[in-house]
Amino acid sequence: MKKKILIALLASATLASCDLDRLPYGSMDSGSITNDPASSLDALLNGTYAQLKAWSDPMHRAGEYAGDNMMIRGSSTDAFYEFISFSRSPNNYRLAQFWDSGYKAIAQASNIIKMVEEGQNAEIDSQLGECYYIRGMMYFYLVRAYGRPYYQTPETNLGVPIVNGTPEDVINMTLPDRATVKETYEQVVADLKKAEELLAGTSHIRASKGAAQAMLSRVYLYMSGTYESPNREYAQLSVDYANKVINSGEYALLPREQFMKYNTLTPENNPETIFAVKRVAAEFSGYDHYYGVGGMYANIGGMGWGEMYASAKYIDLLNETGRNDWRPDNYKIVDARAAFIEPTYSKNDAGAYTEVFRFIKEDGTNIVNYVQANITRSGSTITAKDGDDTYTLTPVDVAQEIYSIQYKDGKTYTGVVDNFISLNRVYPQFYITKCSREGEDSHLHSPIISRLGEVYLNRAEAYAKLGDYPSALKDLNEIRTRSIVNGAYASLDASNAGSRIDKERQLELAYQAERSYDVFRNGKALTRQYPGPHAQFETIPATDYRVIYYIPQDAINSYPGTLTQNPTN
């Protein structure tokens, strides 16, 4: 009697309290699979990739919202607000979706690996390699969200359960508790190395050898310790895998002008993209575009909530080497990454822009906020009116229209002359378009998992942790000068390598769900002293219990065995 093999049911049956998945390729006879593995594998793999689409949305929000690249207009009842506010809860449906989709992908990939024998032909082996890649990637993303940073005693800190496939006896099974962080990373590395061995060909929207190598470069970087206490073995392995990707000739950095349109390019036609979760417009319809990742960052063509904006901290980083001027009549992009920011300049009743002096001032205890004060020009003298008070601006850099103001609270603030930006509540809307406009279609976006720009920065950091600062400088400037003309650093050493490389990662990888993990994995504290409803002057150290998320309570409740929760303090 044929045994019925269930695909994509592990998370449903054991790790979540949701109904069984009913994908058309959700269950198949083992006999039909082994008799015609090639045709069966296509359907089964499609189901596995489909899980990545559901997974990528909460993955992005959990990684990006907990960082300092964005702000939200106000508090929200949506579960994602916990990511921003660091008010952690085990009853968060977005985290449950992240967990469930991740383990469904692991289950489907694992069951394919169990059912299909390796070594039949190169095509089947490569498809098995895709399964190993997906499984290894899922474990990595799960352990960095639910397990503490690797430098913090990985031998004892808990990672995630390692459950590779549906057990024979689903009804009476007992599953193991969470593996340690170290054991989880060992699983990640083993899967990705096996994927590297089996995968053939190049694709930007399917797993490939380059995708496995790029992910290994990042995984080993996460294992490489901090700048102050690096693990040289893992730093060298991060370099080695970055070398494989960079030297393969399969990928290329986009030139500056093309890079500024990165978000509009489809991933399969982008030589810098190594792997992206492919989305197509047909998956959305009209109103649904509101609910894509980009829908929170901007309103484009009437689509999107447009309730999250680039943080003042991120804008200051973009302007560090020169002001990026987004005004239509003065448009000038100094840092190419500023092309993904679009302020919502609004015109007055006469159809003209209103000039203002915009600055950030302290507004009570531990609160800062924007001010947009109307200005009047009289020759070279500029005055700004805020309420009933009028101030004369002091030039800081006239060419860039940067000025300072001696405010009534006795403090001096620096800001820019700009056009008035429309407000949402009390915040100017600095829209983010990096997760929108793929193929110029509203908020269509294929989430980027790996791209060549990151691999160069991985290698730069790993070189720095090895003390090879000339090589680190070369890689750092490769990325920096692509975005900032004549922006190369002249030198790099132990005193500045960490801050400069981290800054470049923040600028380059913003809105790709990397920032919060980058801060904490290197033992740094997160600070967000900029306008927004968050706790602006709170410092969150890497040792804080809130740097990782709680295991979803639904998963614990339905788990056949012990599933240990993360500490609550």
Side-chain angles (χ1 to χ4, degrees):
M1 182 176 181
K2 292 183 177 179
K3 182 192 300 179
K4 194 73 170 176
I5 303 293
L6 301 180
I7 306 300
L9 302 186
L10 178 63
S12 303
T14 67
L15 298 174
S17 59
C18 54
D19 292 333
L20 297 184
D21 253 4
R22 298 298 182 187
L23 294 172
Y25 24 73
S27 63
M28 300 184 71
D29 265 340
S30 57
S32 65
I33 293 170
T34 54
N35 289 336
D36 190 6
S39 61
S40 302
L41 269 175
D42 287 339
L44 295 172
L45 271 171
N46 285 342
T48 308
Y49 280 103
Q51 295 299 338
L52 302 188
K53 297 179 183 182
W55 162 85
S56 62
D57 181 281
M59 176 276 290
H60 177 97
R61 299 179 199 273
E64 194 61 50
Y65 294 1
D68 52 6
N69 295 324
M70 51 72 65
M71 59 155 288
I72 189 171
R73 67 167 191 162
S75 61
S76 173
T77 57
D78 193 295
F80 65 54
Y81 191 68
E82 290 185 2
F83 308 157
I84 301 168
S85 65
F86 278 79
S87 55
R88 301 297 187 233
S89 162
N91 297 307
N92 184 304
Y93 80 88
R94 290 190 182 274
L95 283 179
Q97 182 188 0
F98 177 50
W99 178 278
D100 294 350
S101 298
Y103 270 104
K104 286 177 184 177
I106 287 170
Q108 290 182 245
S110 297
N111 287 333
I112 295 171
I113 291 168
K114 284 185 175 182
M115 287 185 291
V116 179
E117 184 179 352
E118 182 186 332
Q120 298 182 59
N121 59 56
E123 181 182 0
I124 289 175
D125 280 357
S126 187
Q127 290 174 308
L128 288 173
E130 292 181 70
C131 294
Y132 280 107
Y133 170 82
I134 290 171
R135 189 171 75 181
M137 179 179 72
M138 289 297 99
Y139 277 128
F140 172 66
Y141 274 82
L142 287 165
V143 74
R144 75 174 188 174
Y146 295 105
R148 297 206 64 82
Y150 195 86
Y151 81 93
Q152 298 176 9
T153 58
E155 301 85 359
T156 55
N157 284 330
L158 294 181
V160 296
I162 297 174
V163 187
N164 293 335
T166 307
E168 293 293 326
D169 186 354
V170 175
I171 303 302
N172 300 307
M173 66 183 167
T174 299
L175 296 180
D177 198 356
R178 296 163 65 186
T180 65
V181 168
K182 184 174 186 289
E183 290 166 340
T184 310
Y185 270 81
E186 288 171 347
Q187 176 71 47
V188 171
V189 169
D191 279 344
L192 292 175
K193 285 186 174 180
K194 186 65 174 179
E196 179 192 21
E197 173 193 333
L198 294 175
L199 283 161
T202 299
S203 170
H204 305 280
I205 57 175
R206 301 282 292 230
S208 65
K209 188 180 295 291
Q213 293 165 343
M215 190 60 65
L216 280 163
S217 167
R218 189 196 304 175
V219 169
Y220 280 123
L221 192 68
Y222 271 63
M223 300 171 71
S224 69
T226 66
Y227 287 101
E228 294 77 18
S229 183
N231 183 306
R232 294 180 59 86
E233 176 187 357
Y234 293 138
Q236 183 60 58
L237 285 166
S238 180
V239 168
D240 293 343
Y241 277 97
N243 285 340
K244 290 183 179 183
V245 178
I246 292 168
N247 297 335
S248 71
E250 298 286 350
Y251 312 99
L253 293 175
L254 294 177
R256 186 177 194 271
E257 294 303 316
Q258 282 186 277
F259 174 71
M260 291 165 69
K261 300 177 181 178
Y262 202 113
N263 58 312
T264 69
L265 305 177
T266 56
E268 58 268 44
N269 295 314
N270 188 333
E272 186 166 336
T273 295
I274 297 172
F275 177 63
V277 179
K278 175 64 176 176
R279 306 303 300 269
V280 295
E283 295 168 2
F284 304 91
S285 60
Y287 188 75
D288 288 348
H289 270 103
Y290 272 79
Y291 295 98
V293 167
M296 285 304 297
Y297 292 142
N299 181 293
I300 298 174
M303 292 289 173
W305 305 105
E307 295 181 0
M308 294 180 178
Y309 317 120
S311 69
K313 182 176 184 177
Y314 188 69
I315 291 169
D316 284 346
L317 282 180
L318 289 172
N319 289 332
E320 194 175 71
T321 53
R323 178 186 175 183
N324 296 280
D325 197 335
W326 291 284
R327 290 175 291 181
D329 295 336
N330 302 74
Y331 193 77
K332 180 182 179 182
I333 298 298
V334 175
D335 188 321
R337 279 83 57 121
F340 307 121
I341 309 299
E342 295 183 9
T344 58
Y345 293 121
S346 63
K347 295 181 179 180
N348 57 28
D349 292 340
Y353 293 110
T354 300
E355 283 197 307
V356 297
F357 177 61
R358 187 174 54 258
F359 63 101
I360 295 172
K361 70 176 180 69
E362 294 185 12
D363 187 15
T365 305
N366 290 338
I367 297 176
V368 295
N369 212 338
Y370 285 101
V371 175
Q372 295 192 106
N374 289 1
I375 68 166
T376 301
R377 296 179 184 266
S378 178
S380 61
T381 300
I382 303 177
T383 56
K385 188 172 183 180
D386 180 30
D388 296 329
D389 301 306
T390 301
Y391 304 90
T392 299
L393 304 185
T394 301
V396 174
D397 186 328
V398 174
Q400 297 191 79
E401 294 198 287
I402 302 172
Y403 295 86
S404 67
I405 188 172
Q406 186 71 35
Y407 201 62
K408 62 184 178 183
D409 61 5
K411 297 179 180 179
T412 299
Y413 301 111
T414 300
V416 295
V417 170
D418 201 355
N419 295 336
F420 178 81
I421 299 174
S422 57
L423 304 177
N424 197 329
R425 295 191 179 171
V426 296
Y427 303 113
Q429 299 179 132
F430 286 91
Y431 279 173
I432 301 158
T433 60
K434 197 173 185 182
C435 300
S436 303
R437 292 206 178 108
E438 184 178 316
E440 304 294 347
D441 190 335
S442 185
H443 294 299
L444 182 60
H445 172 63
S446 295
I448 297 168
I449 302 302
S450 296
R451 63 181 175 89
L452 189 59
E454 181 214 341
V455 177
Y456 271 101
L457 291 173
N458 291 349
R459 193 169 70 174
E461 180 179 330
Y463 273 138
K465 288 176 175 176
L466 290 168
D468 186 351
Y469 296 111
S471 295
L473 177 64
K474 183 178 178 182
D475 281 341
L476 181 63
N477 281 338
E478 186 77 34
I479 299 303
R480 186 168 177 80
T481 57
R482 190 257 295 269
S483 286
I484 306 170
V485 178
N486 299 321
Y489 289 118
S491 62
L492 201 70
D493 56 42
S495 69
N496 58 28
S499 60
R500 288 181 174 179
I501 292 169
D502 287 353
K503 178 172 65 179
E504 210 61 34
R505 286 186 72 90
Q506 182 172 7
L507 284 165
E508 184 73 12
L509 304 180
Y511 317 115
Q512 289 181 215
E514 298 296 323
R515 175 60 182 165
S516 60
Y517 303 116
D518 272 351
V519 172
F520 297 132
R521 69 177 174 80
N522 269 320
K524 306 300 183 184
L526 182 73
T527 59
R528 298 180 293 171
Q529 297 177 13
Y530 52 78
H534 57 275
Q536 296 175 4
F537 284 80
E538 180 183 25
T539 297
I540 302 168
T543 53
D544 195 295
Y545 75 97
R546 296 170 297 169
V547 305
I548 56 175
Y549 294 109
Y550 288 128
I551 305 297
Q553 191 61 45
D554 281 351
I556 292 176
N557 293 344
S558 61
Y559 196 74
T562 300
L563 184 55
T564 302
Q565 182 58 278
N566 279 323
T568 57
N569 57 51

